[in-house]
Amino acid sequence: MDSGVTPSSGTPGNGSVGAPTPEDRPARLSVGVVGAGRVGTALAQALALAGHRVVAATAVSEGSRRRAEERLPGAELVTPQEVVAAADLVLLTVPDDALPELAVGLAATGVPVGGKLVVHTSGRYGTAVLDPVTRAGALPLALHPVMTFTGRPDDLNRLTGISFGVTAPDPLRPVAEALVLEMGGEPSWITEEHRPLYHAALAGGANHLVTLVVETMDLLRSAGVAEPGRMLGPLLGAALDNALRLGIDGLTGPVARGDAGTVAGHVEELARVSPAGLRAYVALARLTADRALGAGMLKPEDAERLLEVLAD
């Protein structure tokens, strides 16, 4: 199939001299969005900037309807079946748990999918989840943007330069790559069997980081710090930079030093102030000790004392 998709010379927000504007490019694909949420509208906007034409979308909640009207002004709000019928490229941007049922449901309706690109954005799944529509002739792609979307106007700009976890049949890899590049991203190829581990890693790193930071700010407020965010910003920024550049060699703090007495004090105080937070602290401290021991940063005898303090 000749998809007509070619890498664009521009990316979202790219205002370089000589770059073609959306009006200069032919409308190569008509795009439909099943699930006009934060991710779906951001990706559809990026595709529109690359010269494609967003023609239809589904929007159930009042928030998604408003988002679609604001960000996808040319899109008609219709049923999922009508979105598929109207589009050459269908974005399935629904929650992970709803995706298998959606694929089965679309196939069951008999809506024509032959030759259409059907793209989901779930990190959890590869292309196998789209087998019901693939058997009916659809061309399946899994394009997961590695970014958090808040529903704010800057979501579109966040696409520039990010990675996309991509799973695609070999014949469709050039198409997947072109679409990712047009949206301003960089493809990172993930095999079908590695999708669950890939997504677990991202969720553990990003989602749990938010929880950890919010918990830390709450503890600092309890300790009398008026502006915990201001205090934490430089420290957490440096810690993240150290981790990304140096790996475990960037580790500092009482666990890395083997200061079992200090850690015991932390455990005692957290048990009083935040029992739920204590459980997370203990689990992470154990993992930190294991990592530090494995890297040769922590002596075995120091690790043993730490683990005694951290025992249930």
Side-chain angles (χ1 to χ4, degrees), residues 153-233:
D154 62 351
D155 279 350
L156 177 62
N157 295 330
R158 290 185 171 195
L159 291 171
T160 302
I162 70 168
S163 294
F164 277 67
V166 180
T167 305
D170 285 344
L172 294 179
R173 283 170 68 104
V175 178
E177 182 175 20
L179 288 171
V180 169
L181 292 173
E182 285 190 327
M183 288 186 285
E186 298 179 3
S188 180
W189 304 99
I190 311 295
T191 61
E192 185 81 26
E193 63 269 24
H194 286 150
R195 291 293 290 209
L197 179 60
Y198 153 82
H199 195 233
L202 293 176
N207 303 156
H208 298 167
L209 176 62
V210 173
T211 303
L212 183 61
V213 172
V214 171
E215 170 73 5
T216 301
M217 289 196 295
D218 286 346
L219 292 173
L220 287 172
R221 289 189 189 95
S222 296
V225 176
E227 297 184 54
R230 184 174 179 179
M231 175 181 284
L232 282 173

Side-chain angles (χ1 to χ4, degrees), residues 118 120 125-132 134 140-142 166-169 192 195:
V118 178
H120 78 72
Y125 294 108
T127 56
V129 71
L130 299 177
D131 279 352
T134 302
L141 299 175
V166 180
T167 305
E192 185 81 26
R195 291 293 290 209

Side-chain angles (χ1 to χ4, degrees), residues 5-284:
V5 181
T6 55
S8 168
S9 59
T11 57
N14 187 342
S16 60
V17 176
T21 65
E23 293 77 12
D24 295 330
R25 305 184 185 112
R28 295 185 297 277
L29 293 173
S30 56
V31 178
V33 184
V34 179
R38 301 170 182 179
V39 177
T41 52
L43 297 189
Q45 281 183 293
L47 289 168
L49 286 174
H52 302 293
R53 188 166 51 95
V54 183
V55 296
T58 66
V60 177
S61 70
E62 182 59 34
S64 62
R65 293 183 67 87
R66 183 172 60 253
R67 191 178 296 114
E69 290 167 356
E70 291 174 355
R71 301 185 182 184
L72 312 175
E76 186 178 1
L77 299 184
V78 292
T79 67
Q81 293 79 13
E82 290 171 316
V83 169
V84 175
D88 302 314
L89 187 162
V90 182
L91 293 175
L92 304 182
T93 49
V94 298
D96 288 359
D97 287 350
L99 185 57
E101 183 178 354
L102 175 61
V104 170
L106 289 174
T109 65
V111 60
V113 295
K116 295 177 184 284
L117 291 165
V118 178
V119 180
H120 78 72
T121 59
S122 167
R124 172 183 174 186
Y125 294 108
T127 56
V129 71
L130 299 177
D131 279 352
V133 290
T134 302
R135 288 192 292 267
L139 306 175
L141 299 175
L143 308 180
H144 173 244
V146 184
M147 180 48 62
T148 178
F149 297 92
T150 63
R152 298 170 62 86
D154 62 351
D155 279 350
L156 177 62
N157 295 330
R158 290 185 171 195
L159 291 171
T160 302
I162 70 168
S163 294
F164 277 67
V166 180
T167 305
D170 285 344
L172 294 179
R173 283 170 68 104
V175 178
E177 182 175 20
L179 288 171
V180 169
L181 292 173
E182 285 190 327
M183 288 186 285
E186 298 179 3
S188 180
W189 304 99
I190 311 295
T191 61
E192 185 81 26
E193 63 269 24
H194 286 150
R195 291 293 290 209
L197 179 60
Y198 153 82
H199 195 233
L202 293 176
N207 303 156
H208 298 167
L209 176 62
V210 173
T211 303
L212 183 61
V213 172
V214 171
E215 170 73 5
T216 301
M217 289 196 295
D218 286 346
L219 292 173
L220 287 172
R221 289 189 189 95
S222 296
V225 176
E227 297 184 54
R230 184 174 179 179
M231 175 181 284
L232 282 173
L235 174 64
L236 297 184
L240 179 59
D241 180 66
N242 287 343
L244 293 176
R245 288 189 303 108
L246 305 174
I248 196 63
D249 288 339
L251 180 65
T252 63
V255 172
R257 293 191 299 267
D259 289 343
T262 297
V263 173
H266 293 173
V267 169
E268 181 179 356
E269 190 64 10
L270 288 172
R272 183 181 67 83
V273 177
S274 177
L278 171 61
R279 291 192 292 273
Y281 178 95
V282 168
L284 287 171

